[in-house]
Amino acid sequence: MEASRNFHRSASQIPMARAFVRASLARWGMQGHDRELDDIVLMASELFTNAVIHGAGHVEVQVSLLADRVRVVVSDDGLRDLPGALPRKVDGPDTVTGRGLHIVDRLASAWGAHSRPAGGTEVWLEVARRNANV
């Protein structure tokens, strides 16, 4: 099962992106405030926020419910401040941003980022499903 939606690249869209991810997964049988669902929504929100802060153009959120995992992909038209660069975790006590990818790194089973062939950036995460009886 898969759902995708385009959003304006705006901080005001962050709650809508979270609601889209939660509603998509709930429609497919994941329970309302299950910890696994909350973690996925949190991570999707972090990726979306990064796209708003650092990206360009619109932001697309794609959610897939697979037999053994949930996959979320957030894509935009590329990094505004560093064209061609990919998102990365930022370390250091004085960093103001960059902690979102640390959250994703800790909670996701896997994640990554790559440039899209037509331009832009795609960041994805996967979470192994604890209960695959959907």
Side-chain angles (χ1 to χ4, degrees):
M1 291 176 255
E2 186 175 289
S4 65
R5 181 171 169 194
N6 287 316
F7 296 88
H8 294 289
R9 192 179 52 79
S10 166
S12 67
Q13 297 289 293
I14 296 168
M16 275 68 96
R18 278 194 302 260
F20 166 73
V21 171
R22 182 176 295 281
S24 296
L25 293 170
R27 201 171 38 250
W28 300 328
M30 290 188 80
Q31 299 302 311
H33 288 285
D34 176 89
R35 171 80 185 239
E36 183 179 32
L37 177 58
D38 290 343
D39 287 349
I40 293 166
V41 171
L42 171 65
M43 290 185 287
S45 181
E46 292 296 334
L47 297 186
F48 190 90
T49 300
N50 283 350
V52 167
I53 293 170
H54 303 291
H58 73 280
V59 180
E60 181 182 10
V61 178
Q62 186 177 54
V63 184
S64 303
L65 182 66
L66 305 168
D68 60 344
R69 66 193 182 283
V70 173
R71 182 177 173 89
V72 177
V73 179
V74 176
S75 55
D76 60 47
D77 292 337
L79 293 176
R80 267 194 332 255
D81 18 356
L82 297 168
L86 294 175
R88 61 183 176 80
K89 292 187 301 182
V90 178
D91 293 314
D94 298 326
T95 59
V96 176
T97 64
R99 293 186 203 103
L101 289 179
H102 286 279
I103 292 169
V104 172
D105 191 55
R106 183 166 180 113
L107 296 176
S109 303
W111 73 275
H114 61 270
S115 298
R116 295 185 299 178
T121 304
E122 187 172 280
V123 184
W124 58 272
L125 65 88
E126 292 183 345
V127 176
R129 294 181 59 208
R130 290 190 298 248
N131 182 1
N133 296 329
V134 174

